[in-house]
Amino acid sequence: MSTPHKPLVILRAAPHPKDRIFGPAALALLHDRFTVVEPDTEEALDRALPDAFAVVGQPDLPAERLARAGELRAVLNIEGNFYPYLDYEVCFRRGIHVLNCGPAYAQAVAEYALGLALDLARGISREDRAFRAGRERYVAEGNADAVLLHGSDVGLIGFGNLGRSLYPLLAAFRPTIRVYDPWLPPAVLREQGLVPATLDETLTSSRFVFVLATATEESRHLLGERELGLLPDGARLVHVSRAPVVDYPALLAQVAAGRLLAAIDVWPDEPVAADDPARALEGLVLSAHRAGGIPEAFRSIGDMVVDDLTLLARGLPPARMQPAARELVGRYRNRPVTTGTGKART
């Protein structure tokens, strides 16, 4: 039970270990300001719900369970996606805040995406492999397909958390940046100094393309055979958002033909099969869904949780986590990511 001055918070950190998300200082603050319970069974969760001020984590919260949580003010997702694990409509109707930790990963993903782009521009990892195998190529010989990011035409597919974090990093290279994002009016992009463009315009005009869009029914295979064929010969594509946005066989075929170079951090099936043809493609930089999940990003989630819970307890709106939008949560098609051990992670 909560005390009069310490609202009850249910903490279900899975799939993360609690100490991955909360540093010692953040965890101490959480316990200082709230009565924290960590139910280890569904029965214990049900017993705690009637007095709960907030739920931190992703336990199943269908309408019948939410009906028992009469004091609930907030559900804070610490995995990074708006999965259908709770009845969003009930939450919207009752004014329960549903918050997501996605912004915690944005800076890490943006820096990684920039690194992948520079690798594609200069063949860094490719030439490292060649050097280790005794096939190094010196000076101009190893730079036949090298290009500059500086001054290039760059396309962003999506301008959400990831795009907003990547944009300042790209600015130092003085590119022309076109953005395709059907969820934003062109004025929002122009105010940032970006060029609003259709998908075809963005692809046709870009030497570098960053795929940053979330997964919805509308964005499934947004980049298919036709769209990838619009990219200029020698274009570089960086994919760090959600696997369903890209038609992988079509992309791999373009890379295998030597027409495009690509870097991929997200995959349709994870872990990737040992015999997946992507593993043998020289024009592909492979990454095992690791762009965002670094210790600093994980620890920032705990800080965000404590900050927003504190604001909510004071009767103020949350300021750090991403609120669920009533118009969008039903459109997302993201899913948990599994590691080789079968454990879900972001």
Side-chain angles (χ1 to χ4, degrees):
M1 299 289 290
S2 61
T3 67
H5 302 294
K6 295 179 69 173
L8 179 69
V9 171
I10 295 173
L11 175 59
R12 272 276 189 94
H16 301 291
K18 180 175 62 177
D19 58 2
R20 176 184 292 166
I21 301 298
F22 293 95
L27 194 60
L29 278 177
L30 183 68
H31 282 273
D32 180 62
R33 296 172 183 176
F34 301 94
T35 300
V36 180
V37 297
E38 300 181 53
D40 56 1
T41 66
E42 295 303 297
E43 293 76 14
L45 174 64
D46 285 332
R47 288 194 299 270
L49 277 173
D51 297 312
F53 169 76
V55 174
V56 178
Q58 291 77 244
D60 289 333
L61 294 172
E64 56 271 21
R65 227 174 197 172
L66 290 170
R68 296 197 294 272
E71 303 299 317
L72 192 64
R73 292 283 310 284
V75 179
L76 293 81
N77 180 304
I78 54 174
E79 189 173 0
N81 291 289
F82 290 115
Y83 301 130
Y85 66 94
L86 82 165
D87 194 314
Y88 288 96
E89 191 55 40
V90 169
C91 292
F92 292 135
R93 189 164 61 244
R94 287 177 45 187
I96 298 170
H97 295 272
V98 181
L99 306 175
N100 176 300
C101 69
Y105 299 109
Q107 186 65 32
V109 175
E111 292 187 13
Y112 196 78
L114 177 60
L116 292 175
L118 291 172
D119 190 336
L120 292 176
R122 301 299 302 273
I124 298 169
S125 59
R126 179 194 67 197
E127 295 305 314
D128 173 81
R129 292 191 300 272
F131 206 134
R132 294 173 188 274
R135 296 182 284 102
E136 70 269 24
R137 300 179 296 176
Y138 289 88
V139 197
E141 186 183 359
N143 282 325
D145 63 349
V147 297
L148 288 177
L149 179 56
H150 187 276
S152 285
D153 287 293
V154 171
L156 306 184
I157 310 300
F159 196 68
N161 292 326
L162 301 184
R164 288 178 170 88
S165 294
L166 177 60
Y167 177 36
L169 304 182
L170 291 173
F173 294 89
R174 299 184 180 180
T176 297
I177 302 179
R178 293 174 179 83
V179 177
Y180 171 71
D181 192 324
W183 289 3
L184 292 175
V188 172
L189 301 174
R190 292 193 189 100
E191 287 168 358
Q192 302 253 4
L194 299 163
V195 180
T198 66
L199 179 61
D200 286 7
E201 290 168 345
T202 301
L203 296 173
T204 303
S205 303
S206 299
R207 170 180 274 178
F208 291 88
V209 171
F210 294 86
V211 184
L212 311 172
T214 192
T216 66
E217 287 297 332
E218 298 93 334
S219 69
R220 177 172 174 76
H221 288 185
L222 181 69
L223 299 186
E225 183 177 3
R226 185 195 75 84
E227 291 78 19
L228 293 167
L230 297 176
L231 288 165
D233 288 349
R236 275 73 167 163
L237 184 142
V238 176
H239 187 17
V240 290
S241 59
R242 297 295 167 189
V245 178
V246 173
D247 180 336
Y248 278 69
L251 175 58
L252 297 184
Q254 295 267 3
V255 173
R259 209 183 75 77
L260 303 178
L261 299 176
I264 301 176
D265 183 56
V266 290
W267 302 87
D269 296 299
E270 297 179 0
V272 175
D275 61 351
D276 192 293
R279 295 180 181 271
L281 288 181
E282 187 64 21
L284 193 62
V285 177
L286 301 95
S287 177
H289 204 137
R290 50 187 299 272
I294 67 173
E296 288 173 77
F298 286 132
R299 287 297 176 89
S300 71
I301 296 172
D303 295 337
M304 294 165 68
V305 166
V306 173
D307 286 344
D308 276 353
L309 283 176
T310 301
L311 289 171
L312 289 167
R314 293 170 54 196
L316 297 171
R320 298 199 63 192
M321 300 183 78
Q322 178 180 349
R326 193 170 199 160
E327 298 82 1
L328 298 180
V329 289
R331 300 172 72 172
Y332 295 126
R333 295 295 183 268
N334 299 327
R335 59 186 175 88
V337 178
T338 57
T339 67
T341 61
K343 296 180 180 178
R345 64 174 174 82
T346 297

